[in-house]
């Protein structure tokens, strides 16, 4: 794909914690919006078709082992990303669906996946173009694009009925006064495209989230050889903490066995939803971690942070990841505490891409750049 801001060719954009895309050259946001020109080429069509084939295998492979089935799903999502990065409209819609159903980005909380799904659907449904560009530069497939938009509209109405509390509790969302106004806009768009809308009750069906499952998915991803996370924070109840740490010993990725030099855990008692009680303690070996969770885990729960040096890291060298850790821990973990006060736990898992966005080209990340990262993440609603 080509960056529409600096015109550089991009093999793959940076994928940020909030689901946005960013050019690795100019660091500008290049996520598709309502003005984006959709394109269908032989290449992105093939990627999307192969993605759908793997998704069909996932749906029809109930007799196969869990590990094999999830390989099908992983491949479907990966190929869909590649097609979507070239602005194939069906791939963009399908990615929204994958986020919506929790098939993409297992290590992010429901609220963050909900937002990602929303912005994928919005980019397609409200797109101002009536056709799709081809390799030859012609704009065609008007009827096909209309059907894709209508399907996005249906998905978005279902999505809005399941809006998380983080969204429904806000005074406004994405420039709309409330979700009712947004829903009306979606319905009007569907009707203007020639579609119909059944009775819409607008009742929200909130989904319970097991934070131990999300934390485990994030920690398990630390060993991913292609793209491993760098840092995350979780707030866990006593039950969730014990389930996460003690229950993982029988899994294919044991947190107890992995914790150490290359996977560091920091834990503090929870005071409330914005503050810790006391200080963060380091857990660098399995014995101390198991002893704490079994015998000293507080009833109010804990805040758990991890710093990861395992797995694949395309943009950050080990010294840069160490610098991230050092800066966030500086001044009695001031950076971590700021992120907690801003509610950036149980929702954000940070990868190389997130920190590389703030690298201004010097030899390695500076404290100023990490501090800028923390400041801007805390300001994002």
């Amino acid at each position: 794909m080509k960056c529409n801001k600096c015109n550089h060719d991009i093999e793959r954009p940076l994928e940020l914690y909030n689901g946005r895309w960013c050019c690795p050259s100019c660091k500008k946001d290049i996520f598709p919006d309502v003005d984006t020109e959709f394109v269908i080429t032989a290449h992105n069509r093939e990627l999307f078709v192969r993605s759908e084939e793997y998704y069909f295998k996932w749906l029809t492979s109930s007799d196969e082992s869990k590990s094999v089935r999830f390989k099908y799903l992983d491949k479907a999502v990966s190929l869909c990303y590649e097609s979507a990065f070239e602005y194939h409209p069906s791939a963009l819609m399908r990615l929204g669906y994958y986020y919506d159903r929790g098939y993409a980005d297992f290590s992010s909380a429901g609220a963050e996946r909900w937002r990602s799904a929303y912005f994928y659907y919005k980019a397609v449904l409200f797109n101002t173009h009536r056709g799709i560009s081809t390799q030859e530069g012609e704009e065609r497939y008007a009827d096909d694009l209309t059907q894709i938009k209508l399907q996005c509209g249906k998905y978005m109405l279902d999505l809005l009925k399941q809006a998380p509390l983080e969204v429904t509790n806000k005074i406004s969302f994405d420039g709309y006064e409330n979700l009712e106004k947004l829903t009306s806009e979606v319905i009007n768009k569907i009707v203007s495209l020639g579609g119909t809308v059944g009775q819409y009750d607008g009742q929200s069906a909130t989904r319970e989230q097991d934070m131990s499952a999300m934390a485990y998915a994030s920690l398990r991803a630390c060993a991913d050889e292609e793209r491993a996370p760098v840092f995350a924070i979780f707030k866990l109840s006593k039950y969730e903490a014990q389930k996460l740490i003690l229950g993982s010993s029988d899994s294919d990725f044991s947190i107890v066995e992995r914790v150490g030099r290359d996977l560091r855990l920091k834990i503090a008692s929870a005071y409330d939803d914005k503050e810790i009680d006391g200080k963060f303690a380091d857990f660098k070996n399995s014995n101390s971690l198991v002893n704490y969770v079994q015998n000293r885990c507080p009833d109010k729960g804990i805040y758990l942070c991890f710093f990861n040096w395992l797995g694949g890291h395309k943009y950050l060298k080990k010294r840069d990841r160490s610098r991230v850790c050092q800066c966030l821990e500086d001044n009695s973990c001031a950076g971590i505490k700021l992120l907690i006060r801003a509610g950036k736990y149980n929702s954000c898992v940070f990868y190389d891409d997130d920190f590389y966005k703030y690298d201004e080209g010097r030899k390695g990340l500076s404290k100023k750049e990490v501090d800028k990262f923390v400041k801007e993440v805390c300001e994002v609603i």
Side-chain angles (χ1 to χ4, degrees):
M1 67 186 294
K2 189 178 289 289
C3 176
N4 54 21
K5 301 291 179 17
C6 69
N7 219 34
H8 272 72
D9 288 323
I10 303 170
E11 180 181 347
R12 189 181 183 97
L14 302 178
E15 299 168 61
L16 305 184
Y17 72 94
N18 56 6
R20 307 296 292 183
W21 303 349
C22 180
C23 172
S25 179
C26 68
K27 311 293 178 70
K28 299 288 181 62
D29 187 301
I30 55 172
F31 193 83
D33 58 28
V34 297
D35 296 319
T36 296
E37 188 174 1
F38 297 136
V39 181
I40 291 182
T41 65
H43 183 249
N44 67 18
R45 182 192 287 114
E46 180 187 358
L47 289 168
F48 181 67
V49 170
R50 289 174 58 205
S51 170
E52 291 291 275
E53 288 172 350
Y54 275 105
Y55 182 56
F56 181 75
K57 284 184 178 181
W58 150 260
L59 292 174
T60 57
S61 60
S62 57
D63 293 338
E64 298 191 51
S65 68
K66 186 176 180 180
S67 61
V68 170
R69 294 191 70 229
F70 272 88
K71 283 181 182 177
Y72 293 150
L73 182 60
D74 289 344
K75 191 67 175 177
V77 175
S78 176
L79 288 167
C80 193
Y81 265 117
E82 291 185 50
S83 182
F85 289 151
E86 297 183 13
Y87 298 123
H88 190 301
S90 293
L92 290 166
M93 177 182 72
R94 179 62 84 187
L95 263 188
Y97 179 84
Y98 286 152
Y99 275 100
D100 186 358
R101 300 307 168 96
Y103 296 152
D105 200 3
F106 292 108
S107 58
S108 286
E112 288 303 315
R113 289 199 302 267
W114 188 95
R115 288 187 181 91
S116 294
Y118 167 80
F119 283 111
Y120 276 108
Y121 291 156
K122 176 187 175 182
V124 177
L125 175 61
F126 291 104
N127 192 272
T128 56
H129 292 275
R130 296 188 177 183
I132 305 168
S133 293
T134 64
Q135 275 177 287
E136 295 76 25
E138 302 174 352
E139 189 170 84
R140 298 168 55 193
Y141 307 114
D143 291 342
D144 292 341
L145 183 57
T146 295
Q147 293 305 310
I148 295 169
K149 288 180 177 180
L150 286 171
Q151 184 62 64
C152 262
K154 177 181 179 298
Y155 286 155
M156 188 179 277
L157 284 180
D158 290 340
L159 185 76
L160 292 174
K161 291 178 68 174
Q162 301 168 32
L165 292 176
E166 292 92 327
V167 174
T168 57
N169 287 344
K170 292 186 184 302
I171 297 173
S172 63
F173 173 72
D174 192 28
Y176 293 93
E177 183 180 338
N178 50 50
L179 285 186
E180 287 72 24
K181 295 281 188 183
L182 173 54
T183 300
S184 296
E185 193 74 15
V186 172
I187 291 173
N188 291 338
K189 185 63 179 177
I190 292 172
V191 172
S192 73
L193 291 168
T196 57
V197 179
Q199 187 174 3
Y200 183 85
D201 58 24
Q203 293 179 354
S204 176
T206 57
R207 300 172 180 172
E208 290 293 325
Q209 184 97 22
D210 182 351
M211 287 305 155
S212 68
M214 180 193 155
Y216 179 74
S218 303
L219 284 158
R220 188 177 185 278
C222 287
D224 191 302
E225 291 300 328
E226 292 188 12
R227 188 171 184 261
V230 174
F231 165 72
I233 310 171
F234 297 96
K235 183 175 185 289
L236 305 170
S237 68
K238 181 177 181 179
Y239 167 77
E240 288 170 334
Q242 292 175 336
K243 181 180 178 183
L244 170 67
I245 304 300
L246 305 179
S248 74
S249 58
D250 297 327
S251 304
D252 58 348
F253 181 88
S254 171
I255 297 166
V256 171
E257 291 178 5
R258 289 280 188 164
V259 68
R261 184 171 56 87
D262 291 329
L263 179 61
R264 286 190 52 209
L265 297 186
K266 298 180 74 69
I267 296 176
S269 300
Y271 178 75
D272 57 22
D273 287 340
K274 290 188 176 182
E275 302 288 345
I276 68 170
D277 186 4
K279 298 179 180 180
F280 275 99
D282 284 297
F283 290 84
K284 298 179 181 179
N285 62 71
S286 58
N287 289 337
S288 61
L289 178 62
V290 170
N291 179 61
Y292 176 85
V293 173
Q294 284 182 331
N295 304 311
R296 295 187 288 121
C297 190
D299 292 335
K300 279 190 172 184
I302 62 170
Y303 285 103
L304 179 149
C305 312
F306 73 74
F307 294 96
N308 176 46
W309 283 265
L310 297 167
H313 296 274
K314 179 178 180 179
Y315 293 105
L316 297 184
K317 295 180 180 178
K318 190 167 184 177
R319 67 166 183 254
D320 291 315
R321 302 196 296 279
S322 296
R323 187 65 174 156
V324 168
C325 175
Q326 179 185 348
C327 292
L328 290 173
E329 290 181 315
D330 204 18
N331 297 321
S332 300
C333 299
I336 297 173
K337 291 174 183 176
L338 283 173
L339 290 166
I340 289 174
R341 290 184 194 120
K344 302 303 177 181
Y345 52 86
N346 294 356
S347 60
C348 304
V349 179
F350 301 106
Y351 289 76
D352 289 22
D353 310 42
D354 297 298
F355 297 100
Y356 182 72
K357 180 180 184 294
Y358 294 90
D359 187 340
E360 297 176 359
R362 291 189 291 272
K363 294 181 179 179
L365 285 168
S366 67
K367 186 176 188 309
K368 177 184 175 183
E369 289 161 349
V370 176
D371 288 346
K372 183 179 180 182
F373 155 80
V374 171
K375 181 176 182 292
E376 293 195 11
V377 168
C378 289
E379 289 175 350
V380 173
I381 298 175

